[in-house]
Amino acid sequence: MDENPAVRQEMVTTPEEQPPTHPVVCNKYRRILLVGFAFSLFVAVLGLGVYSHLQNTADPWTSQWKSAGPPCLSPACLRASQLFSVAMDPFSHPCDYFLFACGTGGSYSSEERQESIKRVFNEDNTELDKKREARTGGIVRLRRETDFQGESDGHQVKFPDRKTALLKTIKEILEAPEEGVSGNAAEQKAKKYFKTCMDAESPEKVGSKPFLTLIQQLGGWAVSKGMNRTDFNTTLTLLMGQYSTFPFFSVYAGSDSGKEQAASSQHYIQIDEPYFQFPIDWNSKTQKSKASTRYLRPFYMSCGQYLALLGVPSNETTQHCGLYISLSTTLALGASPLSYRLSQKLLYRRITIQELQTLAPAIDWLACLQATFQPLPISQSDLVLVHNLPYIIHMSETIIKWQVQHEMMGTRPLHTYMIFSLLHTLIPALDSRFFQTMRNFSIATGDTQEEIPRWLRCIQQTERGFDALLSHAIKERHAQNEAEELIYDVYLSLKKKLTGLSWRDNRSSAFILNKIKSLNPRLSTKTNNLSHAELNHLYAEVVLSEEDFFSNYLQMLVLDQKSRSRLLSHGTQTEGLSITPSISGNDIIIPVGMFVSPFFHSSYPRALNYGTLGSLMAKDLLHLLLPDIHMQANNPESESMCIWSHYLSVTKDPGRVGTFSLSPFKQQEVWVQYTALQVALDAYKMSFTRHPEDSSLSGLSYIHLFLSSFTKVSCDADSYHEFMPFEPSFLVTVLCSNSGFCPKPLTCVNKFQSFPREMCQSRTLH
């Protein structure tokens, strides 16, 4: 093939053969080129300057997200900095980071990776569903922290679970020194109660005397041969109204959850089975319950031990304990498990108090319920919700039968049963021998859980009586304007994300989107807006002793009764010790208990607040709204499978990619986790646009701190982490697949990765 003539000419022409160039002409061309180059450079620099100025003016996030702000040096920030290390930095090991096992500080070996993937598909989905049901039902099994300040795994300090963090915050409030401010009298009373509760020696000094004195005030009992009050319903009314004790049935206030989420937040009196002190066996064939016979002997022994502690002669034990156990097991015959009651539609039976009186005449229902919810006006025509009417009828028939057969004999087993119920209510305020007796029986029935430490029991008791005060204190100290701003940003970002979904049905999508737009997220409840004066008035009648914890405990039970009344009358309740959002009418209640360190602090960099609590809140809200979204939108399945396919492409042999698939439940959770990351980041961008002067932590840039915070909190404190088929750190790899988005690309050197430029990303992020 012939060469290009011009090239060939240039190659063969020697310098001597080239025609001479006139020096004037050369200088002329040189000046023209120089001027042209200088002008072009000026135009380019000017253009870049104008473009940069416009970009900085329009979107400061774009130009500053990769820079680090001034260091945050508050005490809260210095404590939070201990939670971060190189091991949890997504950009220190970009090739292996998404394969890290949370908390190990290093990546999986190839064998461990394969075992991890196998476990994803070999897990019993039924068991996962049980765990999920427990969570969505409000019963959250949180991991136990061995170190109240946080665990240390090697050099890696972990986030505590959210419940532990909240309890630690309440403990700090209750243990804080008195400030001597008269306007904070209610808080001083809560601190006094907690202090007397923590005094373990005080109950030991008085023994069983306080309880025996109380029995005499209630009219005595047949066991001690000193009974002077015999009316069954009078005693029952006193126990329910003044001592929060419900021997034969439980009573509380709550919404009608049997109906679909309605606009109304009205609360009703709820009547259910009581808590039985012993395990109950259910026969699915006969559909009958009975007390577990293998535990009757230890139950009888614990009864005898209680009577001995109360000074009852041993020769009196057999008769009274025998009758007590016989009555208990008879009542248990009418009980049934929740699954059966659901299948038989026995829950949320709406009935008036007058109708209930006709069906179960042994109980003076109006008097008992008036005492339980005093001073509210309760009438015969009021509706109540009954959750097992067959049990209530069986209970009434049993009481009538036992009154006829035993009351005339002087043994008064119904009264003894009520006194034993009161004893179990008051055991936390009695000396340790009563608690140890109860604990021994629990161990005999197979309860292997560790004993709750005293400080935790005291916090739970204090919250039970001073819920409104503690909720207010948490908000005042930890959840001010920054909390309201975070809630607003996260929910606004969430609505944007959900509006952009691809829906399967236009009519259903319109209903769902209208519902989401109509909901109003707000921080906790009405009690958070109370002033110090109003709180002092709320607790004005509480008079606490410096040393007598038993009398203080009785005061707490009275406060517990008032809390039930407030819930029934206002339709809202204090969420101080809650860590999960809930829907009440048109409101999404965001409890103040979520806004505690190390997840949130008003002095934190916003990147930390939004990366930790912002992402957790987004996950909570998505799970709260998930049933409607997952059924009607296409995105959860398509986006989660996109992420999963890329995960398989880097964790398995190329020839085996696609051989594994995710169950619908795992698809759903992958989508929730990734969407929460996107929502939290978008919310942080909105906040950063308003407050570009944000500080930073550990020398990290804003986006760097945000992504590290998300990964750290997802590993350590996300209760849904165990349902993920891979570590949440991989989601950062997905988000950063566009190399221009993050501080630097998360790519591997000498390792094949087939990621597209924008891997599974939503358009809302660009």
Side-chain angles (χ1 to χ4, degrees), residues 315-445:
N315 61 345
E316 300 286 340
T317 298
T318 301
Q319 181 185 33
H320 291 290
C321 285
L323 290 172
Y324 173 57
I325 293 175
S326 179
L327 177 56
S328 300
T329 55
T330 301
L331 290 171
L333 294 176
S336 57
L338 179 61
S339 58
Y340 175 78
R341 284 183 278 165
L342 281 169
S343 65
Q344 299 299 309
K345 297 182 172 20
L346 295 177
L347 302 180
Y348 300 100
R349 171 74 179 271
R350 299 166 72 93
I351 189 173
T352 65
I353 296 176
Q354 187 173 9
E355 291 171 332
L356 184 60
Q357 187 66 56
T358 302
L359 294 171
I363 306 297
D364 186 346
W365 290 102
L366 183 60
C368 287
L369 296 179
Q370 285 176 336
T372 303
F373 295 99
Q374 58 184 316
L376 299 181
I378 307 293
S379 67
Q380 295 277 15
S381 60
D382 286 345
L383 283 173
V384 296
L385 303 181
V386 181
H387 300 298
N388 190 352
L389 186 57
Y391 166 79
I392 298 298
I393 295 173
H394 166 78
M395 175 268 301
S396 175
E397 293 173 346
T398 300
I399 290 174
I400 293 173
K401 181 178 179 181
W402 278 65
Q403 283 177 325
V404 173
Q405 292 182 348
H406 298 281
E407 294 301 291
M408 297 304 296
M409 298 170 57
T411 53
R412 309 292 181 187
L414 292 171
H415 194 269
T416 299
Y417 186 91
M418 289 189 284
I419 294 298
F420 267 113
S421 296
L422 177 62
L423 175 64
H424 279 89
T425 299
L426 299 179
I427 279 178
L430 298 174
D431 73 67
S432 59
R433 296 173 299 168
F434 289 91
F435 181 83
Q436 192 57 50
T437 299
M438 181 180 67
R439 176 67 180 155
N440 291 341
F441 175 71
S442 296
I443 294 174
T445 59

Side-chain angles (χ1 to χ4, degrees), residues 618-666:
K619 294 174 191 178
D620 290 337
L621 292 173
L622 284 166
H623 281 115
L624 190 64
L625 304 170
L626 194 59
D628 291 336
I629 299 171
H630 188 254
M631 290 176 59
Q632 299 297 333
N634 295 313
N635 302 69
E637 181 179 1
S638 60
E639 290 184 13
S640 61
M641 292 313 296
C642 176
I643 296 170
W644 178 239
S645 65
H646 288 293
Y647 179 77
L648 291 179
S649 71
V650 296
T651 55
K652 293 193 59 60
D653 297 333
R656 297 182 63 189
V657 172
T659 58
F660 292 140
S661 61
L662 289 179
S663 67
F665 174 63
K666 291 190 176 72

Side-chain angles (χ1 to χ4, degrees), residues 540-698:
E541 297 179 4
V542 178
V543 179
L544 298 178
S545 168
E546 293 285 352
E547 298 180 354
D548 186 1
F549 176 60
F550 186 83
S551 66
N552 290 350
Y553 189 83
L554 296 182
Q555 289 277 298
M556 185 274 297
L557 295 179
V558 173
L559 290 175
D560 187 38
Q561 182 274 324
K562 291 184 177 180
S563 179
R564 280 193 301 273
S565 298
R566 287 199 305 272
L567 176 57
L568 184 63
S569 61
H570 297 307
T572 56
Q573 64 183 14
T574 302
E575 301 287 350
L577 271 182
S578 175
I579 55 172
T580 307
S582 59
I583 295 179
S584 177
N586 286 329
D587 291 327
I588 297 180
I589 306 300
I590 309 293
V592 296
M594 296 177 66
F595 293 87
V596 296
S597 60
F599 303 97
F600 179 90
H601 197 275
S602 58
S603 70
Y604 279 173
R606 289 181 174 83
L608 180 56
N609 280 334
Y610 282 75
T612 52
L613 185 57
S615 61
L616 290 175
M617 185 183 297
K619 294 174 191 178
D620 290 337
L621 292 173
L622 284 166
H623 281 115
L624 190 64
L625 304 170
L626 194 59
D628 291 336
I629 299 171
H630 188 254
M631 290 176 59
Q632 299 297 333
N634 295 313
N635 302 69
E637 181 179 1
S638 60
E639 290 184 13
S640 61
M641 292 313 296
C642 176
I643 296 170
W644 178 239
S645 65
H646 288 293
Y647 179 77
L648 291 179
S649 71
V650 296
T651 55
K652 293 193 59 60
D653 297 333
R656 297 182 63 189
V657 172
T659 58
F660 292 140
S661 61
L662 289 179
S663 67
F665 174 63
K666 291 190 176 72
Q667 291 177 19
Q668 172 181 295
E669 193 57 36
V670 169
W671 179 79
V672 166
Q673 296 272 340
Y674 188 53
T675 300
L677 172 57
Q678 294 175 311
V679 166
L681 178 58
D682 186 56
Y684 176 52
K685 288 173 65 177
M686 289 189 289
S687 174
F688 191 89
T689 302
R690 296 191 302 270
H691 309 286
E693 71 285 355
D694 198 7
S695 62
S696 189
L697 199 70
S698 302

Side-chain angles (χ1 to χ4, degrees), residues 706-728:
F706 173 88
L707 295 174
S708 297
S709 302
F710 165 80
T711 302
K712 179 65 176 166
V713 78
S714 296
C715 277
D716 292 351
D718 181 10
S719 58
Y720 287 91
H721 169 223
E722 63 183 291
F723 303 128
M724 286 284 286
F726 47 73
E727 300 297 353

